[in-house]
Amino acid sequence: ALLAALGQRRPHLLNHLVDQAGPQAFAQALATLEARQMVEALCLLADAPRASVCAHLPPSARRRWPTAQARRPRGWRALLRRA
């Protein structure tokens, strides 16, 4: 469901998944994605769910943010400061 919502760029579905699974489970799912996908998903989330998910991301996932090889989504640097 996460990859489908991300592939379709559907923020409302991503926010619903955070509500449904909880921020900790969502963060664990994001941690398994490529850095580019993880950053894109975080950028599509609303502010409150993004902050909750970022607080639960494992340190290894946080370290991968700056290394995303693809073009970074708008606002990715602000995500680093918020976490």
Side-chain angles (χ1 to χ4, degrees):
L2 173 58
L3 289 176
L6 185 57
Q8 296 173 12
R9 299 192 56 81
R10 298 182 75 178
H12 68 282
L13 285 179
L14 290 169
N15 287 303
H16 176 71
L17 288 172
V18 173
D19 291 340
Q20 188 177 31
Q24 186 170 8
F26 193 86
Q28 292 300 321
L30 283 185
T32 67
L33 300 177
E34 295 177 13
R36 177 189 54 80
Q37 292 172 313
M38 182 177 60
V39 171
E40 186 173 350
L42 288 168
C43 286
L44 291 172
L45 289 174
D47 289 341
R50 181 187 309 126
S52 296
V53 170
C54 286
H56 289 93
L57 277 174
S60 60
R62 290 181 192 207
R63 285 191 297 269
R64 289 186 303 155
W65 287 355
T67 63
Q69 297 298 316
R71 183 174 170 256
R72 295 179 176 103
R74 187 175 181 196
W76 74 274
R77 288 183 188 203
L79 287 174
L80 292 175
R81 290 190 294 270
R82 291 182 193 165

